[in-house]
Amino acid sequence: MRLIGLMIVLISSIHARAQQADQHMYEGNKLYAKGKYKEAAAAYQQAYGAKKNREAQYNLGNAFYQQKNFEKAASQYTETEKNTRDSKLKAASNHNLGNTCLEQKKWDEAIDYYKQSLRQNPSSPSTKYNLAYAQAMKKQQDQQNKNNKKQDQKQDQQKQQPDKQPQDQQQGKDKQDPQQNQKPEQGNQKPEPQPSKLSKEQADQILNALNQEEKKLRGKKEKGSGQPVKLDKDW
């Protein structure tokens, strides 16, 4: 009889803790919807403490994300993805891990997380948009780094050139007509316009192409925003 009594108490305790966890989750979701992310995080932490609920841990990551605490958010997403068996929850966790990297301009890491998320949920349009955006920004960064490297190399070459000209060239300058060494008057120092190598039609085409590319990047950022993905569950 004592054993049966202990089992009843244990089952009742487990049931009560489960009810508490659900109540905390419900309260956390209400606070999150109102934009009270700090209070929502506290409720989700209570829900997870009452019951090791991975959905509560995932929502806690979202609450941290909205507070711009990307380090804590990433920690919750990582633990959720690692310990859950729910493929949708795994995909959502990887997507949001990609978002935390996107916010910090860690393009390579963001791309890896989005790809992993798509392996788990290939039909997610928001993940596809964010992946495309991260890839575009990565390409832009690589091109900028390449241009900076070329500029640095050019500056290094200029520094290595001797400041003084060879003696024979200097002597040749000394023999020139003194009038040639006179500086022009300030009023005549207008640069001559250089003829363009492109026609007006070609220039317009390039400008239109650049404008279209910029619109595409902005569109991808807007459609595939860095907002954390919420699961389609009512807790």
Side-chain angles (χ1 to χ4, degrees), residues 73-94:
S75 177
Q76 301 305 318
Y77 296 141
T78 299
E79 287 298 313
T80 301
E81 196 279 335
K82 181 180 177 181
N83 294 290
T84 186
R85 295 182 179 180
D86 188 330
S87 60
K88 289 185 177 180
L89 188 54
K90 281 182 174 291
S93 296
N94 277 315

Side-chain angles (χ1 to χ4, degrees), residues 20-167:
Q20 288 178 355
D22 291 343
Q23 181 62 30
H24 289 312
M25 281 284 287
Y26 177 74
E27 292 174 359
N29 289 347
K30 285 178 61 178
L31 291 165
Y32 188 97
K34 293 178 180 179
K36 298 180 178 180
Y37 303 120
K38 187 176 180 179
E39 293 83 350
Y44 290 140
Q45 284 177 323
Q46 288 180 312
Y48 182 71
K51 179 184 177 182
K52 299 301 180 183
N53 187 325
R54 295 303 167 186
E55 286 80 9
Q57 188 174 39
Y58 173 84
N59 286 2
L60 177 59
N62 287 350
F64 283 138
Y65 183 97
Q66 295 289 8
Q67 297 176 71
K68 307 296 182 183
N69 193 334
F70 301 122
E71 184 176 351
K72 284 188 176 181
S75 177
Q76 301 305 318
Y77 296 141
T78 299
E79 287 298 313
T80 301
E81 196 279 335
K82 181 180 177 181
N83 294 290
T84 186
R85 295 182 179 180
D86 188 330
S87 60
K88 289 185 177 180
L89 188 54
K90 281 182 174 291
S93 296
N94 277 315
H95 175 97
N96 287 354
L97 279 167
N99 286 352
T100 62
C101 294
L102 200 71
E103 292 287 348
Q104 300 171 84
K105 299 183 179 181
K106 298 178 180 178
W107 311 123
D108 287 322
E109 294 178 39
I111 289 169
D112 289 340
Y113 282 124
Y114 289 138
K115 286 182 177 179
Q116 183 63 28
S117 180
L118 285 173
R119 294 187 189 100
Q120 295 157 340
N121 183 17
S123 61
S124 172
S126 59
T127 306
K128 292 177 182 178
Y129 280 123
N130 284 13
L131 173 60
Y133 178 80
Q135 289 173 328
M137 296 306 295
K138 164 66 175 172
K139 184 178 179 181
Q140 187 180 85
Q141 183 185 61
D142 289 344
Q143 185 60 46
Q144 184 63 43
N145 291 340
K146 186 177 180 180
N147 293 340
N148 291 341
K149 186 176 180 180
K150 286 183 178 179
Q151 184 65 24
D152 291 341
Q153 290 176 344
K154 184 177 179 180
Q155 291 178 353
D156 290 341
Q157 290 175 355
Q158 291 176 346
K159 289 180 181 179
Q160 292 174 0
Q161 292 178 354
D163 294 334
K164 294 183 178 180
Q165 295 181 349
Q167 186 175 359

Side-chain angles (χ1 to χ4, degrees), residues 162-175:
D163 294 334
K164 294 183 178 180
Q165 295 181 349
Q167 186 175 359
D168 56 345
Q169 292 185 10
Q170 186 64 37
Q171 291 176 351
K173 282 189 175 182
D174 293 340
K175 296 179 181 179

